[in-house]
Amino acid sequence: MKKATSGNRRSRRNFIKGAGAASVIALAGCSGDGGNGNGNGNGNGNGNGNGGNGNGGNTGTSQSMEWENGKSIHYIGPTSESTWWRAQPAGHLIEAQKRDWELSFSFPGWDPAAFNDEILTRAQSNDALIINPAAFGAHSQAIRTANEQYNTPVAGNNDGVGEGASHNIQSANNAMGQLMANEAISHLEEKYGSAEGRTIAHFQGDPNVTGWNRRANGVRSVMDEHPEVDYVELSSGGSVSSWSEAAQTYFSSNTADAAITDSDGAFSQVILDALSANDMLYYRGHEDHVFVGGIDGYPSSAMFVRKGLQDVTVPQVPFCMTQNISKVMYDHILADPSFQQSGNSIPEVPTDIEVSPPTNPVEMYWGDNDETISFEETDYGTPIAYAPPEPFTLTRENANEHNHWANVWPAWKGRTDLMDVEFSVQGDAPSWTEDLIGEFNDNLENGEYGERLDYLDQI
């Protein structure tokens, strides 16, 4: 796989000053089991006012008819407990404020039954739904009911939904796992001349979660081609605490030449903690450094890379996916409300359309391969596109160079707590770490990655 190179960040930057003041979007109270709701305003959103349509896209209005529920669209996700899950509705909020639609959201948890109840409830009071599923294929009947009984279209969001969704844009999780594993192999071959006899510890998530399952399978497919490697699989569960326990247990009595993890951010942080607790955490470049690779590209992961602790992360591109999911829905399904009154079928998303990285409120980065992506029909009927066009790595060489989501999220919403976590590290930090961190902080302060979007405080 091709690595991203530095390029020209300034020529790629295109942000709109003051975009955060364009609109206020309503925040729905959390529902379902109530245990995974948003702590920043449970049921307190008042939806006061809506701004203009941003860059002049289709506003989804009709001269002769109005939307039954006042141009309302609702996002349902399993949880809001981390930066990644809060980033999902953020992309939809951005697109809604451009088009004068009201977006609300709720987080019923990981129980598919509670999630299905939420779909059916929200379908009765909203003009459209976007769902990030609790489990692949678990919501097909609820989606069918929303479509047929309530005439409410339902789009998928990033993770595999299954039958019934109008369309979806997903991460190529299998290929991302392969890229991470190949990066670890390349590191070992470069450092030692061969990967033979070297240990790679692979921290895996809950296999019932589709994305984690596919990433693990991607890693395995690479390891099957490298029997010379001492490959260790570690079932780490579905939470940061279970991941931490797995890492502490392993490194308390074992060593590794590389540790790769199917998610990073808080998940790679606990691996770094475990290495530190056992005097195994060294800066990149030290002869005793343990290679650390992850997937997701969190703002904290990018900072761990700048600090010389994590070698590589394979980023997802949440805003490229979520803004485009909404854009396709508005342009091809919600262009006219007449299907609500006529009883006609909900419009379908054509598979011959192409999508590109968003340019408003910033020009987002999804790798040096800037080609558009297109939808393909699946065997269960939902048109799917995969973003980015080709998985790429974020390393010390390009961490500050582009509008990665790891950089624009702190610009739009503020730094995350994990970005500034400190570790006890063996040896002296290389000089380049201070340079990278200083450059990032200067870029952030100067608006190189965009500017604060105040309406994102709702999530």
Side-chain angles (χ1 to χ4, degrees):
M1 293 289 183
K2 176 176 66 176
K3 287 187 180 179
T5 54
S6 61
N8 185 332
R9 179 177 64 253
R10 292 183 181 276
S11 67
R12 304 183 64 85
R13 193 180 87 239
N14 179 21
F15 60 86
I16 306 300
K17 292 185 179 292
S23 173
V24 177
I25 310 298
L27 169 62
C30 301
S31 57
D33 65 7
N36 293 298
N38 184 316
N40 291 333
N42 185 2
N44 293 329
N46 58 17
N48 293 329
N50 288 295
N53 63 359
N55 59 3
N58 185 349
T59 60
T61 59
S62 171
Q63 295 290 335
S64 58
M65 297 183 180
E66 295 182 354
W67 292 97
E68 292 179 354
N69 296 293
K71 297 174 67 177
S72 63
I73 188 166
H74 188 83
Y75 169 87
I76 306 173
T79 181
S80 63
E81 64 184 2
S82 73
T83 300
W84 169 255
W85 291 107
R86 291 194 296 276
Q88 301 305 296
H92 301 301
L93 274 167
I94 289 168
E95 202 62 29
Q97 66 89 23
K98 299 178 189 177
R99 298 165 183 265
D100 199 25
W101 275 70
E102 180 182 275
L103 180 81
S104 55
F105 37 90
S106 55
F107 306 96
W110 288 101
D111 177 17
F115 204 101
N116 287 334
D117 288 343
E118 185 72 355
I119 291 173
L120 297 177
T121 298
R122 299 296 181 174
Q124 298 176 60
S125 58
N126 289 276
D127 296 305
L129 303 179
I130 301 171
I131 68 168
N132 200 109
F136 179 80
H139 313 307
S140 296
Q141 183 56 56
I143 294 172
R144 188 177 299 112
T145 300
N147 290 168
E148 297 174 357
Q149 186 170 337
Y150 305 121
N151 229 9
T152 305
V154 181
N157 185 79
N158 184 30
D159 289 339
V161 179
E163 181 182 3
S166 60
H167 64 290
N168 198 0
I169 302 177
Q170 302 179 14
S171 299
N173 287 295
N174 189 281
M176 295 167 78
Q178 291 175 333
L179 178 56
M180 176 176 66
N182 279 318
E183 288 288 319
I185 295 289
S186 296
H187 167 82
L188 296 179
E189 291 176 340
E190 181 177 347
K191 182 175 181 179
Y192 299 107
S194 169
E196 184 172 1
R198 298 297 171 178
T199 300
I200 295 180
H202 177 199
F203 294 85
Q204 302 173 347
D206 183 347
N208 293 315
V209 177
T210 305
W212 276 338
N213 186 299
R214 292 175 178 173
R215 294 174 190 183
N217 286 334
V219 172
R220 290 190 188 105
S221 70
V222 172
M223 293 306 168
D224 286 344
E225 299 174 357
H226 291 274
E228 77 278 13
V229 173
D230 181 11
Y231 172 52
V232 181
E233 291 190 345
L234 298 161
S235 298
S236 306
S239 68
V240 174
S241 60
S242 64
W243 221 284
S244 177
E245 182 178 357
Q248 293 287 354
T249 299
Y250 179 80
F251 286 115
S252 66
S253 56
N254 301 277
T255 60
D257 299 291
I260 56 177
T261 172
D262 288 345
S263 279
D264 53 21
F267 296 96
S268 59
Q269 179 207 346
V270 298
I271 291 173
L272 297 174
D273 284 337
L275 289 169
S276 177
N278 292 282
D279 297 328
M280 298 180 192
L281 185 60
Y282 291 84
Y283 291 104
R284 180 178 171 182
H286 192 283
E287 61 179 359
D288 293 323
H289 172 73
V290 176
F291 175 96
V292 176
I295 297 176
D296 286 330
Y298 280 87
S300 54
S301 307
M303 190 57 74
F304 300 158
V305 168
R306 294 184 190 98
K307 291 180 177 181
L309 305 176
Q310 182 168 332
D311 295 70
V312 63
T313 178
V314 181
Q316 296 198 73
V317 288
F319 307 123
C320 294
M321 291 187 287
T322 56
Q323 283 190 252
N324 271 316
I325 289 167
S326 277
K327 184 178 186 299
V328 169
M329 174 170 265
Y330 290 125
D331 290 348
H332 296 279
I333 297 176
L334 304 180
D336 192 299
S338 60
F339 71 86
Q340 286 186 322
Q341 290 85 5
S342 66
N344 293 335
S345 298
I346 294 171
E348 296 182 353
V349 171
T351 56
D352 60 350
I353 61 173
E354 296 182 334
V355 296
S356 304
T359 59
N360 182 357
V362 295
E363 185 175 354
M364 291 298 303
Y365 179 76
W366 69 6
D368 282 352
N369 185 342
D370 284 334
E371 295 177 5
T372 59
I373 58 173
S374 58
F375 286 88
E376 57 188 53
E377 198 69 46
T378 62
D379 56 6
Y380 48 87
T382 298
I384 298 293
Y386 293 94
E390 182 178 302
F392 63 96
T393 57
L394 188 154
T395 68
R396 59 169 285 199
E397 286 75 20
N398 70 343
N400 293 342
E401 292 301 318
H402 301 295
N403 285 332
H404 302 288
W405 87 274
N407 296 341
V408 300
W409 181 261
W412 287 349
K413 190 170 171 64
R415 300 175 76 95
T416 68
D417 292 340
L418 293 186
M419 290 175 65
D420 299 313
V421 168
E422 295 295 334
F423 301 89
S424 177
V425 189
Q426 304 295 313
D428 297 325
S431 60
W432 56 261
T433 61
E434 184 177 352
D435 293 340
L436 278 180
I437 294 169
E439 180 185 48
F440 169 78
N441 290 335
D442 288 344
N443 289 346
L444 186 65
E445 182 179 352
N446 294 333
E448 293 287 330
Y449 305 123
E451 295 185 339
R452 187 173 180 87
L453 303 179
D454 290 335
Y455 57 85
L456 295 186
D457 286 344
Q458 299 171 78
I459 53 175

